[in-house]
Amino acid sequence: MNQSWWKESVIYQIYPRSFKDSNGDGIGDLKGITSKMEYLRTLGIDVIWLSPIYKSPNDDNGYDISDYQDIMDEFGTTEDFDELLETAHQNGIKIMMDLVVNHSSDEHSWFIESKSSKDSKKRDWYIWKPGKNGKEPNNWEACFKGSAWEYDETTEEYYLHLFSKKQPDLNWENPSLRKEIYNMMTWWVEKGIDGFRMDVINFISKDTRFPEGELFEGKLYGNGSKYYMNGPRIHEFLQEMNKEVLSKYDIITVGETPGVTPEEAKLYTGHNRNELNMVFQFEHMGLGDGIEGKWSNQPWKLSDLKQTMTRWQKGLEEDGWNSLYWNNHDQPRVVSRFGNDQEYRVESAKMLATCLHMMQGTPYIYQGEEIGMTNVAFESIDQYKDIETLNAYKDLVSEQRLSREEMMKAIHDRGRDNARTPMQWDNTTNAGFTTGTPWIEVNPNYKEVNVEKSLKDKDSIFYYYQKLIHLRKEHDIIVYGSYDLILDNDEQIYAYTRSLHDEKLLVICNFSSESTTFTLPNGIDYTSSNLLIHNYEVNSNESFTEFVLKPFEARVYKLQ
Ligand code: NOJ
């Protein structure tokens, strides 16, 4: 297998709005991030993925960009960015920028020019269509609900927006637009940044016939995803981007690619494909999705999770590369979702970290995950800020597809604001995030769960993550070993091996609040064993071929 620094790295995602406020306006900012660089160095991460920091009217918290080469007012100035980049580099940390080029903001000068007239030079930089029989050009639903088309009176046409109506989709069919994007990317790389996380990058090529989407019973709008996910020219566009920009530098790239299968992921990340280093897949995040997607949760089994993860581990083993994540700014907190955020918060957070970081791929840590931050359950919908959550609430409750109670429960379980409450630094007012009024309320458990406390406790989740990162630097097998699932059908234990040359890792994780017996299957040969990491005390002469695993216990043995 080819060795690369980005395979050996651990990435830490920062959602700047919620990380650290330096000026008391209640909104996290760049200076706040810079002030925490030492903390991140102590954790040991190699790369920061910065969610968007560009100029934006914040309809979708920065995922609606109005100037790709300027900084959002609330976050600071270009000088603040330069300082952040320099401080990161001084600390041996790289910076991976979010790149949001499926769409821009409707306040971007390109869009303003585009919508001004049908003859505008930038008309074709966005996707404009006349209506059909007095209605939208087709029935596609936007990811944030409602029609994906918005009527604009100036030229009496509709523009496409797969997300909010303030996020018009860019038209990648237009070569001058593509060239402008490559220039902008080059400008950032020349400034010294180290890579890109590409927002919904597999949506940029649309089926230009814009066929009607599949319409499900009782729904107003259809699902057009098969006409814009992994569209007809997607690989051509990415190969062009690679040739024009990425191939010229030693940078890291990860594409956010909802709906991709391992087979498709190989096309995006395969060694000779000249596209991306890795992609974010969503299959494990979609477990339990029902008829209303994540808003109607269905029960699922541990074996479903194991099968999904294993399909990805085996699918990209020979070619391509996995990104490993449980959390990001769009997902609920994993300790609440797959662990137990009450009685076993610490144990289950450590177990989940073990299970993920020992797999093959590049691990991502989302801010607060390293201290076991949990979901929040605000009582009133008015306490929520996320556009996706608010639009879904409006739609689903008013169309009586879900009751208010069902929807609030779904928001508590799966809503994006679970990840966006302020980072919990200490037990002072507002968790030390801001001296002002935070833009979104702090999780009330901050007195119990915070960085200051974690740093004082040698058994904390923080130091466990630090150790996992350290182990990765010491043992090639954690990065490069091949993965095999064992005990496939066990509904409490997720166990697997990693193999490299004559070494093996044995990873054993109890995903339940009950104790259970682990029995090593036949056929795993070894002469010596070494316990690398564990989240409970283990008696040094205990045999690992058969033992009782405590609730959410995790152990990793190195066998030789
Ligand atoms: C995916 C991002 O992760 C999410 O936060 C955003 O709302 C959409 N893409 C639209 O940019």
Side-chain angles (χ1 to χ4, degrees), residues 15 49 60 63-64 98 100 103 144 163 167 197 199-200 256 258 282 328-330 386-388 416 420:
Y15 194 67
W49 152 22
D60 185 19
Y63 284 90
D64 49 320
D98 220 308
V100 189
H103 45 268
F144 291 161
F163 292 88
Q167 293 168 297
R197 174 269 184 189
D199 194 66
V200 287
E256 188 204 26
F282 281 76
N328 61 41
H329 63 292
D330 295 330
D386 168 33
I387 179 167
E388 182 195 51
R416 304 201 296 183
R420 300 176 181 187

Side-chain angles (χ1 to χ4, degrees), residues 157-170:
E157 284 195 331
Y158 291 83
Y159 64 87
L160 180 73
H161 60 89
L162 292 177
F163 292 88
S164 94
K165 63 180 182 204
K166 285 186 67 62
Q167 293 168 297
D169 280 54
L170 288 159

Side-chain angles (χ1 to χ4, degrees), residues 129-380:
K129 296 269 170 246
K132 230 166 123 186
N133 312 321
K135 284 182 37 192
E136 294 94 355
N138 71 20
N139 69 355
W140 293 3
E141 179 170 50
C143 301
F144 291 161
K145 301 288 181 209
S147 168
W149 298 93
E150 181 73 9
Y151 183 71
D152 186 65
E153 282 180 348
T154 327
T155 54
E156 301 181 326
E157 284 195 331
Y158 291 83
Y159 64 87
L160 180 73
H161 60 89
L162 292 177
F163 292 88
S164 94
K165 63 180 182 204
K166 285 186 67 62
Q167 293 168 297
D169 280 54
L170 288 159
N171 181 15
W172 276 71
E173 300 292 323
N174 183 307
S176 345
L177 176 263
R178 299 205 299 275
K179 194 158 175 260
E180 185 73 24
I181 289 176
Y182 305 150
N183 288 344
M184 175 271 285
M185 292 171 70
T186 302
W187 183 84
W188 279 104
V189 186
E190 289 291 330
K191 210 174 179 20
I193 64 127
D194 307 284
F196 295 107
R197 174 269 184 189
M198 304 184 188
D199 194 66
V200 287
I201 199 67
N202 65 328
F203 288 16
I204 60 177
S205 162
K206 278 83 175 170
D207 182 329
T208 51
R209 296 165 304 168
F210 293 93
E212 293 291 306
E214 192 180 353
L215 193 60
F216 294 97
E217 215 196 303
K219 287 242 188 187
L220 229 49
Y221 297 104
N223 177 357
S225 60
K226 70 171 182 213
Y227 303 115
Y228 60 76
M229 277 182 183
N230 313 312
R233 297 182 69 188
I234 182 66
H235 296 293
E236 180 195 331
F237 292 158
L238 285 176
Q239 283 167 14
E240 182 184 74
M241 179 197 283
N242 187 290
K243 181 165 160 265
E244 297 300 325
V245 188
L246 311 178
S247 64
K248 298 181 182 162
Y249 306 93
D250 183 19
I251 56 175
I252 179 173
T253 55
V254 52
E256 188 204 26
T257 52
V260 288
T261 61
E263 282 313 307
E264 286 158 346
K266 257 195 257 183
L267 300 177
Y268 287 102
T269 67
H271 182 57
N272 291 320
R273 295 283 303 168
N274 300 321
E275 297 189 18
L276 303 173
N277 294 155
M278 58 190 135
V279 293
F280 289 126
Q281 58 91 13
F282 281 76
E283 292 184 351
H284 64 315
M285 289 289 109
L287 286 172
D289 282 5
I291 175 128
E292 304 298 350
K294 67 181 181 184
W295 307 117
S296 49
N297 238 330
Q298 303 299 308
W300 54 273
K301 302 197 299 289
L302 180 64
S303 51
D304 302 332
L305 176 67
K306 296 202 282 193
Q307 263 176 26
T308 303
M309 299 306 278
T310 303
R311 202 167 51 247
W312 280 89
Q313 288 287 299
K314 298 310 280 180
L316 300 188
E317 184 172 280
E318 300 293 327
D319 195 20
W321 189 248
N322 270 292
S323 58
L324 306 170
Y325 74 99
W326 290 139
N327 286 283
N328 61 41
H329 63 292
D330 295 330
Q331 301 296 336
R333 294 282 178 180
V334 73
V335 68
S336 303
R337 186 164 183 208
F338 296 167
N340 174 328
D341 63 10
Q342 303 292 312
E343 198 180 346
Y344 297 111
R345 187 183 65 85
V346 173
E347 292 80 0
S348 65
K350 292 178 180 174
M351 181 282 288
L352 287 160
T354 315
C355 186
L356 193 76
H357 283 238
M358 290 295 143
M359 288 184 192
Q360 192 187 66
T362 300
Y364 289 72
I365 302 170
Y366 177 70
Q367 64 185 43
E369 179 182 336
E370 77 280 16
I371 55 166
M373 279 179 63
T374 69
N375 281 354
V376 71
F378 293 137
E379 252 170 61
S380 157

Side-chain angles (χ1 to χ4, degrees), residues 20-27 428-438:
K20 173 73 187 162
D21 176 20
S22 73
N23 63 357
D25 66 356
I27 297 173
T428 63
T429 322
N430 296 320
F433 163 70
T434 180
T435 52
T437 309

Side-chain angles (χ1 to χ4, degrees), residues 356-418:
L356 193 76
H357 283 238
M358 290 295 143
M359 288 184 192
Q360 192 187 66
T362 300
Y364 289 72
I365 302 170
Y366 177 70
Q367 64 185 43
E369 179 182 336
E370 77 280 16
I371 55 166
M373 279 179 63
T374 69
N375 281 354
V376 71
F378 293 137
E379 252 170 61
S380 157
I381 187 67
D382 302 332
Q383 290 165 283
Y384 286 90
K385 308 291 176 200
D386 168 33
I387 179 167
E388 182 195 51
T389 303
L390 297 174
N391 286 5
Y393 180 91
K394 249 190 269 156
D395 248 48
L396 297 173
V397 173
S398 71
E399 287 173 24
Q400 298 183 341
R401 302 181 72 88
L402 293 177
S403 71
R404 249 169 235 285
E405 292 66 37
E406 283 167 338
M407 188 64 200
M408 285 312 287
K409 166 92 174 68
I411 293 172
H412 295 163
D413 289 346
R414 299 286 296 276
R416 304 201 296 183
D417 280 340
N418 283 308

